[in-house]
Amino acid sequence: MNPATAPAGAPTKRSAALLFRRLREGFTRIDERNGARIRIEDLALAGGYFILFWLLDAVHLTAFGDVKVAALASAWPAVAVLGCVGVVFRRTAPTAMAWMCGIAAAGLLFAGHAGGFLLVFEFFFSLVLFGKPRASQLASRAAWVLTVLLIVAAYGYSRAVDLAVVAGFFAVLTLLTPVEWAGNLRKANQLADSESARADAVEDAAQQRSLADRNAHELALEHERQHLARELHDVISARLSAIALQSGAAVHAQDSPLSGGGAVTVLHQIREESVAGLNELNTMIRLLHTGTQPESTGLVGDLPGLLGRYRATGTEFDYENSLPDAGSDLPVPLQSAIYRITSEALANAAKHAPGQPVEVTLTHAATKAHGLAPQRPGVELHLCVRSALLTELPSGVLGTGTGIPSMHFRAAHVGGTLSAAPHGMNWIVSLQIPLPASDKRDVIESGDQLSKRHTA
């Protein structure tokens, strides 16, 4: 339909339809959940309003003197009930409250009932305090606009200043006072909610910090337990394995007709291993009491003695150490890692392949530069422990499953890489460790000198 040819009553009908649609939307927000959240004080307030309406009607206090609509004047109780119902939903459904209180206030004012001013007061107070932010702002602005319009209309209608002053007094009392009062309460509620949210956030942050500290403490305890398990395995287990092997060799030596002093020698070695194991156990006990980390035991120079203890059990060893000064100039943590890994590899070889020959080599090699950028060649230290790989394991061989992971940990701790895997008919433990800068220079110079000697 063309707007130019539309009937004159069309805009009025559209406005009425929009009004009823908004009214319906406001009432549809009143559901069972809103009803369950109604407070007792709102019910008491609605009842108090209705009693006050009866008192105002009993004393014949009218709104505008004799100006009233007769049909509404006789039905004011029903209109008042509508307004009181709206007061009940002031918190749970502010939009529905605004429609009901607004209609009831207009009905009471046109009925000449002074209770309409009370509902106007409640309309603006509840809408500003409990309505949505946009509705609250619109109600505040509307109160100021209506105040100015009432004063201007009263003066324009009567041309009397006293009537304009009275109109302004009622406007301030029923429009501006509830708006300012409710606005201050809304700001106070928002501030309280903000402080409550801030307190909750602080409490949550404290709980998160406490949880993080507890997790860090548990992680530290787990690391400490792993460290103690690794030390116990690498130290005590290796000593006990050597004692078991040496005691077995002593038994066989005693049964042999050529026992002689061999059994005595083995028993001396068993005693040395026992005393050394007890000393290391006492060291770990002191660590648990004091919390101080002791110096790492076991150096590269101790490897011949370690091999000698296993050689006394009848195992054949082929040991080669081509490091400059036999690796005695290497840092102590690096030497300790080499010793521990070698000790664990020998214990595994003696356990899984008893009596089979073992080859231990400790060498160094230059690494080639990779990439397009010029780089100085580095030096890596190589440790290789090669033992036989039996098709069937000896009976009664049990392990804790921590040996190989412990070797990997010690290799990673000094910046190296380790592999422990079968290769053909052998089991090979291979360790590569890049040497520190100062040690690289020493090894390179020593390697050059050895090359010159061989060339000469």
Side-chain angles (χ1 to χ4, degrees):
M1 179 183 295
N2 190 353
T5 60
T12 304
K13 292 181 180 179
R14 285 196 297 270
S15 300
L18 180 61
L19 177 64
F20 282 109
R21 183 171 62 84
R22 291 182 178 177
L23 180 62
R24 185 176 67 252
E25 292 176 354
F27 276 99
T28 53
R29 301 187 178 182
I30 305 177
D31 54 13
E32 293 80 3
R33 290 174 296 177
N34 290 332
R37 293 197 299 267
I38 293 176
R39 295 190 178 182
I40 300 298
E41 52 265 33
D42 294 335
L43 291 172
L45 181 61
Y49 271 129
F50 195 78
I51 294 173
L52 189 57
F53 294 157
W54 276 106
L55 291 177
L56 293 176
D57 182 73
V59 299
H60 303 288
L61 185 61
T62 60
F64 305 109
D66 295 333
V67 179
K68 63 177 66 176
V69 178
L72 292 175
S74 59
W76 74 264
V79 179
V81 168
L82 177 63
C84 292
V85 173
V87 172
V88 172
F89 293 99
R90 62 203 293 257
R91 300 174 191 268
T92 57
T95 303
M97 178 279 306
W99 282 109
M100 287 187 283
C101 287
I103 293 174
L108 289 178
L109 290 177
F110 282 111
H113 199 295
F117 293 110
L118 297 177
L119 287 182
V120 171
F121 183 98
E122 183 63 33
F123 173 89
F124 284 97
F125 182 85
S126 298
L127 196 58
V128 172
L129 181 57
F130 302 114
K132 293 182 179 180
R134 180 174 177 78
S136 178
Q137 294 177 0
L138 290 177
S140 299
R141 296 172 183 173
W144 284 97
V145 173
L146 288 176
T147 299
V148 175
L149 291 178
L150 285 175
I151 295 174
V152 173
Y155 181 78
Y157 175 76
S158 63
R159 298 293 178 177
V161 177
D162 54 350
L163 184 59
V165 171
V166 172
F169 173 77
F170 275 97
V172 170
L173 186 63
T174 58
L175 298 177
L176 298 184
T177 299
V179 166
E180 292 298 322
W181 185 9
N184 292 333
L185 289 177
R186 188 183 183 98
K187 292 178 182 177
N189 292 337
Q190 291 176 349
L191 181 60
D193 293 340
S194 177
E195 290 297 326
S196 178
R198 180 177 177 274
D200 292 340
V202 171
E203 184 178 359
D204 291 341
Q207 293 178 354
Q208 293 296 329
R209 285 196 300 270
S210 177
L211 181 61
D213 294 340
R214 186 162 57 252
N215 291 336
H217 179 66
E218 293 177 355
L219 183 61
L221 289 178
E222 179 65 23
H223 287 169
E224 188 64 22
R225 285 193 294 268
Q226 293 178 359
H227 172 70
L228 291 177
R230 187 166 50 250
E231 290 296 327
L232 282 172
H233 178 273
D234 292 351
V235 176
I236 307 303
S237 177
R239 295 291 184 184
L240 293 178
S241 297
I243 291 173
L245 293 173
Q246 292 169 356
S247 61
V251 171
H252 290 298
Q254 186 177 3
D255 295 337
S256 174
L258 300 177
S259 57
V264 176
T265 303
V266 172
L267 289 175
H268 280 295
Q269 292 176 350
I270 291 175
R271 184 182 182 282
E272 292 177 359
E273 290 290 338
S274 302
V275 172
L278 287 174
N279 291 333
E280 292 175 346
L281 183 60
N282 291 331
T283 301
M284 295 193 66
I285 293 174
R286 286 193 295 271
L287 168 63
L288 293 177
H289 279 292
T290 62
T292 57
Q293 182 69 28
E295 288 292 333
S296 299
T297 58
L299 301 175
V300 174
D302 299 327
L303 288 178
L306 176 65
L307 297 176
R309 291 194 294 270
Y310 281 97
R311 187 177 288 111
T313 64
T315 304
E316 296 182 4
F317 284 94
D318 184 7
Y319 176 59
E320 177 185 356
N321 184 353
S322 62
L323 296 179
D325 296 329
S328 60
D329 294 335
L330 294 176
V332 173
L334 190 60
Q335 295 191 52
S336 177
I338 296 172
Y339 181 87
R340 294 297 187 193
I341 293 173
T342 304
S343 176
E344 178 61 28
L346 294 178
N348 289 338
K351 184 187 301 181
H352 297 283
Q356 300 297 320
V358 180
E359 178 184 345
V360 180
T361 58
L362 194 59
T363 60
H364 68 274
T367 59
K368 296 181 180 179
H370 298 282
L372 299 178
Q375 299 178 357
R376 293 183 59 188
V379 176
E380 281 187 344
L381 183 148
H382 292 176
L383 169 67
C384 180
V385 180
R386 185 190 305 268
S387 59
L389 183 63
L390 301 183
T391 57
E392 294 184 2
L393 293 179
S395 60
V397 175
L398 296 176
T400 61
T402 60
I404 294 179
S406 176
M407 289 192 292
H408 279 285
F409 176 84
R410 293 189 181 278
H413 188 67
V414 294
T417 57
L418 182 137
S419 63
H423 185 75
M425 298 301 295
N426 296 317
W427 179 270
I428 298 178
V429 176
S430 178
L431 171 67
Q432 294 84 32
I433 303 177
L435 295 178
S438 59
D439 298 314
K440 289 179 183 179
R441 183 177 61 253
D442 296 340
V443 171
I444 291 174
E445 292 175 355
S446 301
D448 292 343
Q449 294 175 1
L450 289 174
S451 299
K452 292 179 181 178
R453 291 177 185 176
H454 286 298
T455 304

mmCIF file of all heavy atoms in Angstrom, residues 1 18 78 144 152 211 278 292 305 344 407 411 419 446:
data_model
loop_
_atom_site.group_PDB
_atom_site.id
_atom_site.type_symbol
_atom_site.label_atom_id
_atom_site.label_comp_id
_atom_site.label_asym_id
_atom_site.label_seq_id
_atom_site.Cartn_x
_atom_site.Cartn_y
_atom_site.Cartn_z
ATOM 1 N N MET A 1 0.853 -1.192 0.000
ATOM 2 C CA MET A 1 0.000 0.000 0.000
ATOM 3 C C MET A 1 0.884 1.236 0.000
ATOM 4 O O MET A 1 1.857 1.307 0.732
ATOM 5 C CB MET A 1 -0.919 0.008 1.225
ATOM 6 C CG MET A 1 -1.822 1.248 1.281
ATOM 7 S SD MET A 1 -2.821 1.245 2.775
ATOM 8 C CE MET A 1 -3.837 -0.174 2.491
ATOM 9 N N LEU A 18 1.704 -1.635 18.163
ATOM 10 C CA LEU A 18 3.032 -1.644 18.771
ATOM 11 C C LEU A 18 2.943 -1.573 20.287
ATOM 12 O O LEU A 18 3.682 -2.249 21.011
ATOM 13 C CB LEU A 18 3.846 -0.465 18.227
ATOM 14 C CG LEU A 18 5.276 -0.313 18.752
ATOM 15 C CD1 LEU A 18 6.105 -1.548 18.405
ATOM 16 C CD2 LEU A 18 5.930 0.943 18.180
ATOM 17 N N ALA A 78 -10.283 -1.955 41.204
ATOM 18 C CA ALA A 78 -9.692 -2.866 40.223
ATOM 19 C C ALA A 78 -8.413 -2.279 39.635
ATOM 20 O O ALA A 78 -7.407 -2.979 39.433
ATOM 21 C CB ALA A 78 -10.699 -3.171 39.119
ATOM 22 N N TRP A 144 12.807 14.253 34.266
ATOM 23 C CA TRP A 144 13.163 15.671 34.130
ATOM 24 C C TRP A 144 12.326 16.349 33.050
ATOM 25 O O TRP A 144 11.863 17.494 33.244
ATOM 26 C CB TRP A 144 14.651 15.798 33.788
ATOM 27 C CG TRP A 144 15.541 15.557 34.973
ATOM 28 C CD1 TRP A 144 16.165 14.411 35.312
ATOM 29 C CD2 TRP A 144 15.882 16.517 35.970
ATOM 30 N NE1 TRP A 144 16.883 14.564 36.459
ATOM 31 C CE2 TRP A 144 16.733 15.872 36.909
ATOM 32 C CE3 TRP A 144 15.559 17.850 36.184
ATOM 33 C CZ2 TRP A 144 17.257 16.504 38.010
ATOM 34 C CZ3 TRP A 144 16.085 18.499 37.298
ATOM 35 C CH2 TRP A 144 16.922 17.833 38.192
ATOM 36 N N VAL A 152 5.467 24.101 32.972
ATOM 37 C CA VAL A 152 5.082 24.986 31.852
ATOM 38 C C VAL A 152 3.594 24.871 31.560
ATOM 39 O O VAL A 152 2.895 25.883 31.326
ATOM 40 C CB VAL A 152 5.918 24.646 30.610
ATOM 41 C CG1 VAL A 152 5.415 25.422 29.396
ATOM 42 C CG2 VAL A 152 7.387 24.969 30.865
ATOM 43 N N LEU A 211 47.051 -23.420 44.995
ATOM 44 C CA LEU A 211 47.081 -24.656 44.202
ATOM 45 C C LEU A 211 48.393 -24.770 43.428
ATOM 46 O O LEU A 211 48.985 -25.863 43.347
ATOM 47 C CB LEU A 211 45.892 -24.677 43.246
ATOM 48 C CG LEU A 211 45.760 -25.918 42.348
ATOM 49 C CD1 LEU A 211 45.598 -27.167 43.198
ATOM 50 C CD2 LEU A 211 44.576 -25.756 41.400
ATOM 51 N N LEU A 278 78.399 -49.257 51.927
ATOM 52 C CA LEU A 278 77.942 -48.676 53.184
ATOM 53 C C LEU A 278 78.282 -47.187 53.268
ATOM 54 O O LEU A 278 77.495 -46.375 53.766
ATOM 55 C CB LEU A 278 78.554 -49.432 54.362
ATOM 56 C CG LEU A 278 77.991 -50.840 54.621
ATOM 57 C CD1 LEU A 278 78.781 -51.532 55.718
ATOM 58 C CD2 LEU A 278 76.514 -50.766 54.986
ATOM 59 N N THR A 292 71.941 -31.085 51.801
ATOM 60 C CA THR A 292 73.048 -30.592 50.977
ATOM 61 C C THR A 292 73.466 -31.673 49.997
ATOM 62 O O THR A 292 73.540 -32.854 50.340
ATOM 63 C CB THR A 292 74.251 -30.211 51.854
ATOM 64 O OG1 THR A 292 74.633 -31.343 52.627
ATOM 65 C CG2 THR A 292 73.881 -29.053 52.782
ATOM 66 N N GLY A 305 89.493 -49.515 38.144
ATOM 67 C CA GLY A 305 89.158 -50.251 39.355
ATOM 68 C C GLY A 305 87.779 -50.886 39.266
ATOM 69 O O GLY A 305 87.562 -51.998 39.760
ATOM 70 N N GLU A 344 76.437 -48.700 35.279
ATOM 71 C CA GLU A 344 75.115 -49.289 35.015
ATOM 72 C C GLU A 344 75.172 -50.238 33.829
ATOM 73 O O GLU A 344 74.557 -51.310 33.845
ATOM 74 C CB GLU A 344 74.099 -48.174 34.769
ATOM 75 C CG GLU A 344 72.694 -48.652 34.428
ATOM 76 C CD GLU A 344 72.080 -49.473 35.553
ATOM 77 O OE1 GLU A 344 72.457 -49.249 36.725
ATOM 78 O OE2 GLU A 344 71.248 -50.352 35.253
ATOM 79 N N MET A 407 70.262 -43.846 32.902
ATOM 80 C CA MET A 407 71.373 -43.507 32.010
ATOM 81 C C MET A 407 70.984 -42.369 31.063
ATOM 82 O O MET A 407 71.773 -41.446 30.814
ATOM 83 C CB MET A 407 71.804 -44.744 31.224
ATOM 84 C CG MET A 407 72.512 -45.802 32.056
ATOM 85 S SD MET A 407 73.317 -47.096 31.065
ATOM 86 C CE MET A 407 71.888 -47.927 30.383
ATOM 87 N N ALA A 411 72.801 -38.678 30.892
ATOM 88 C CA ALA A 411 73.350 -38.177 29.630
ATOM 89 C C ALA A 411 72.753 -36.820 29.283
ATOM 90 O O ALA A 411 73.470 -35.884 28.879
ATOM 91 C CB ALA A 411 73.066 -39.182 28.514
ATOM 92 N N SER A 419 72.120 -43.944 23.597
ATOM 93 C CA SER A 419 71.295 -44.979 22.987
ATOM 94 C C SER A 419 71.704 -46.322 23.572
ATOM 95 O O SER A 419 72.898 -46.599 23.758
ATOM 96 C CB SER A 419 71.473 -44.997 21.469
ATOM 97 O OG SER A 419 72.805 -45.327 21.115
ATOM 98 N N SER A 446 95.659 -31.936 21.707
ATOM 99 C CA SER A 446 96.227 -33.246 21.997
ATOM 100 C C SER A 446 96.069 -34.173 20.813
ATOM 101 O O SER A 446 96.962 -34.946 20.477
ATOM 102 C CB SER A 446 95.547 -33.839 23.244
ATOM 103 O OG SER A 446 95.728 -32.991 24.359
#
